[in-house]
Amino acid sequence: MPILIRGGTIVTADAERVADIFAEQETITRIESSIDPRSVPAKTEIIDATGHLVFPGFIDPHVHIHLPFMGTNAADNHDTATRAALAGGTTTIIEMICPGPSDEPRDSFKTWYDLAAASAHCDFTFHQSVVRFDALAREQLRELVQSRGVASFKVFLAYKGALDLSDHDLLGLMEMAKELGVIVTAHCENADAVAFMQAKLIAAGCTSTHFHEPSRPVAVEADGVHHLCTFASLTGAHVYIVHTSCHEALTQAQEARDRGVRVWIEAVVPHLIFDKTAAERPDFEGAKYIMSPPLRDASNIDCLWNAIARRDVSTIGTDHAPFHFHTQKVLGKSAFTAIPNGIGSIQERVDLLFTFGVCAGRIDRRTLVDAASTQPAKIFGLFPKKGTIAVGSDADLVVYDPNHRGQFSRNTSLSALDYNAYEGMECRGRSHIVTLRGRVVARDGQYIGGDGGGQYLPRTPTHF
Ligand code: URP
Ligand code: ZN
Ligand code: ZN
């Protein structure tokens, strides 16, 4: 059904204006100061957006849904996670395909694709993680780029023995990525240093959640960023640093930029909201806040927000990686090293950024749109179909109520996770209506979009 959204303040990455939007056949076809309802088909659904903001559908560039990891599986599936995404204003997700060390790339792509295609409610695409780089993997990775629309790889410098690549293979992969125009996204922590620090702490009896951050200090992350950027300068590959958590890592990326490395920086919401004391909460509550890189000293929070405001940090994702508190985080009760790493935020991201970013005066609304929609689309080959409000773009729209007041809570979350890391925190704003390609799929925090409906977004590499 066509839709007409009237009287809202349209916010894009570089402008704001009050205007009406008309969309039909999944696409925005008119944006005008005032569209006469008599000029649109009689069956058009008319949405009054007076007093509301109208954002382009948000894009989460870093989520994990199907995630076999640390001896368990993440708590959501594509049904629960994408209901939650849409209720929170996220209309497109980029999920990390994380295969096991001996899995073939083609098989892992198929596994993740089939799961998402069967039940995702929002649009989706993938970063293909590379955990092996033998001849067979090389051949299959090329095929995924050339015929399945993969345009970004993911590498882990961390998680020794599980997901990390040798330096030799990392260089080979980056050389191939440059040739194919594929951007290499990377989790940057020195895996050997983490393993060394963890072993030392555990041997000394330091087993509680307090020791997660000291086991992977800022220097370990900064070293990872420097390492990746050195390899980027050797190969010419374009790189994207995921979940950058601290001043030291930011500095390494910025210095590499100054040397001519093509590097983009991502922040994720937990690092913008919490400091390391969250992971020190008593009675094992701290386990809810164990992720990697870890939550940091509080000084890093302003440092990250300032870099977002300057647009030095390009994107803000979630790193949604939900593990239940009662049945999964407890795996690490006797040693923090066994706590499944990750925090869920797929539904909360936009409201957290609005509350703690825009309402707190740290960023303006255009920067919110830029970091959480436009830049993910531009960097990952989805723009201008996604990531903006323009004639010809998909009608993925968020009519946002900036006057809503509420609290983040497990009770209002559509994720399957058995806790909400943001429980009880004030929420100042909410997606009133969310459309996915012109169809209303969420209203006031409820998913109303029916079964399925998410489409795979094949991409063409652009990072030559
Ligand atoms: O702690 C995290 N970040 N868990 C998910 C896996 C990853 O490293 O992104
Ligand atoms: Zn990671
Ligand atoms: Zn991640």
Side-chain angles (χ1 to χ4, degrees):
M1 182 194 296
I3 53 166
L4 174 60
I5 299 178
R6 303 188 72 201
T9 300
I10 299 174
V11 186
T12 58
D14 32 47
E16 295 195 7
R17 72 160 169 147
V18 177
D20 297 350
I21 302 170
F22 177 71
E24 59 185 340
Q25 290 175 348
E26 306 200 338
T27 307
I28 298 171
T29 56
R30 294 172 67 185
I31 304 173
E32 294 161 27
S33 314
S34 177
I35 297 177
D36 186 340
R38 289 169 303 185
S39 71
V40 300
K43 59 182 179 187
T44 300
E45 179 172 0
I46 297 183
I47 296 166
D48 180 8
T50 312
H52 289 69
L53 306 169
V54 185
F55 294 128
F58 290 97
I59 301 172
D60 192 334
H62 185 164
V63 305
H64 304 269
I65 299 174
H66 177 57
L67 177 62
F69 184 55
M70 296 186 73
T72 185
N73 279 285
D76 270 318
N77 56 38
H78 289 84
D79 174 35
T80 56
T82 61
R83 281 172 190 265
L86 287 165
T90 293
T91 50
T92 297
I93 55 168
I94 313 184
E95 184 182 0
M96 304 283 176
I97 293 176
C98 290
S102 58
D103 293 345
E104 294 183 16
R106 186 193 290 149
D107 292 342
S108 61
F109 180 88
K110 182 170 170 19
T111 300
W112 264 261
Y113 178 90
D114 287 349
L115 286 168
S119 56
H121 305 293
C122 68
D123 287 354
F124 58 94
T125 191
F126 302 105
H127 302 300
Q128 175 70 42
S129 296
V130 181
V131 294
R132 53 181 276 194
F133 198 62
D134 49 79
L136 181 72
R138 287 198 288 276
E139 182 196 318
Q140 293 189 1
L141 288 167
R142 279 181 187 280
E143 178 191 312
L144 291 178
V145 173
Q146 282 153 4
S147 59
R148 299 309 309 268
V150 169
S152 45
F153 293 144
K154 168 78 184 287
V155 294
F156 290 88
L157 274 58
Y159 305 126
K160 193 168 171 50
L163 296 167
D164 60 325
L165 276 179
S166 71
D167 277 353
H168 182 268
D169 287 350
L170 181 56
L171 276 165
L173 173 71
M174 290 174 75
E175 186 179 55
M176 188 174 102
K178 170 67 181 171
E179 179 206 328
L180 296 173
V182 169
I183 189 168
V184 178
T185 74
H187 176 136
C188 294
E189 290 180 296
N190 182 313
D192 283 303
V194 173
F196 179 83
M197 301 290 287
Q198 285 181 332
K200 228 170 111 166
L201 285 162
I202 296 292
C206 302
T207 57
S208 81
T209 57
H210 289 58
F211 298 100
H212 179 64
E213 200 279 340
S215 76
R216 355 175 47 113
V218 292
V220 163
E221 185 181 342
D223 184 58
V225 174
H226 185 269
H227 193 71
L228 184 85
C229 290
T230 301
F231 282 16
S233 64
L234 293 175
T235 57
H238 295 191
V239 292
Y240 173 99
I241 317 288
V242 303
H243 49 40
T244 309
S245 76
C246 59
H247 171 70
E248 288 77 358
L250 276 177
T251 304
Q252 286 301 329
Q254 276 160 344
E255 287 181 6
R257 250 180 210 162
D258 294 343
R259 295 193 299 273
V261 174
R262 300 295 304 277
V263 51
W264 285 261
I265 306 169
E266 174 195 86
V268 295
V269 282
H271 294 131
L272 299 172
I273 308 294
F274 299 116
D275 65 39
K276 64 182 179 185
T277 59
E280 296 169 359
R281 293 184 191 176
D283 302 324
F284 200 59
E285 282 283 308
K288 294 178 177 173
Y289 300 91
I290 294 295
M291 65 174 292
S292 295
L295 301 174
R296 298 298 191 191
D297 183 84
S299 60
N300 292 288
I301 295 178
D302 276 342
C303 178
L304 287 170
W305 279 112
N306 291 338
I308 293 165
R310 292 193 307 272
R311 301 198 181 185
D312 284 342
V313 166
S314 299
T315 66
I316 310 172
T318 53
D319 196 8
H320 182 76
F323 294 98
H324 293 308
F325 179 63
H326 290 103
T327 52
Q328 297 185 293
K329 292 283 186 180
V330 287
L331 295 170
K333 200 114 206 210
S334 53
F336 71 88
T337 47
I339 298 170
N341 284 203
I343 299 177
S345 323
I346 199 165
Q347 184 169 341
E348 294 79 14
R349 177 182 62 139
V350 173
D351 296 339
L352 286 164
L353 297 177
F354 194 79
T355 303
F356 293 93
V358 175
C359 297
R362 284 162 151 156
I363 58 170
D364 58 36
R365 303 190 293 217
R366 283 160 285 132
T367 301
L368 165 67
V369 168
D370 194 47
S373 181
T374 309
Q375 288 303 322
K378 285 188 169 173
I379 295 166
F380 295 116
L382 298 168
F383 191 84
K385 179 179 169 68
K386 305 290 188 187
T388 194
I389 298 177
V391 170
S393 295
D394 281 1
D396 297 349
L397 296 163
V398 177
V399 178
Y400 198 80
D401 179 4
N403 298 313
H404 171 80
R405 295 290 177 269
Q407 285 188 343
F408 295 97
S409 173
R410 169 74 200 97
N411 297 332
T412 50
S413 167
L414 303 184
S415 159
L417 190 57
D418 69 355
Y419 73 97
N420 187 321
Y422 310 93
E423 190 71 41
M425 293 170 74
E426 191 196 13
C427 173
R428 301 173 61 126
R430 181 171 73 177
S431 299
H432 169 47
I433 287 174
V434 181
T435 69
L436 177 68
R437 284 176 276 104
R439 196 165 53 91
V440 175
V441 289
R443 189 184 293 267
D444 296 333
Q446 297 300 315
Y447 175 72
I448 55 170
D451 283 339
Q455 282 184 359
Y456 175 59
L457 301 168
R459 298 171 293 135
T460 306
T462 54
H463 288 276
F464 293 97

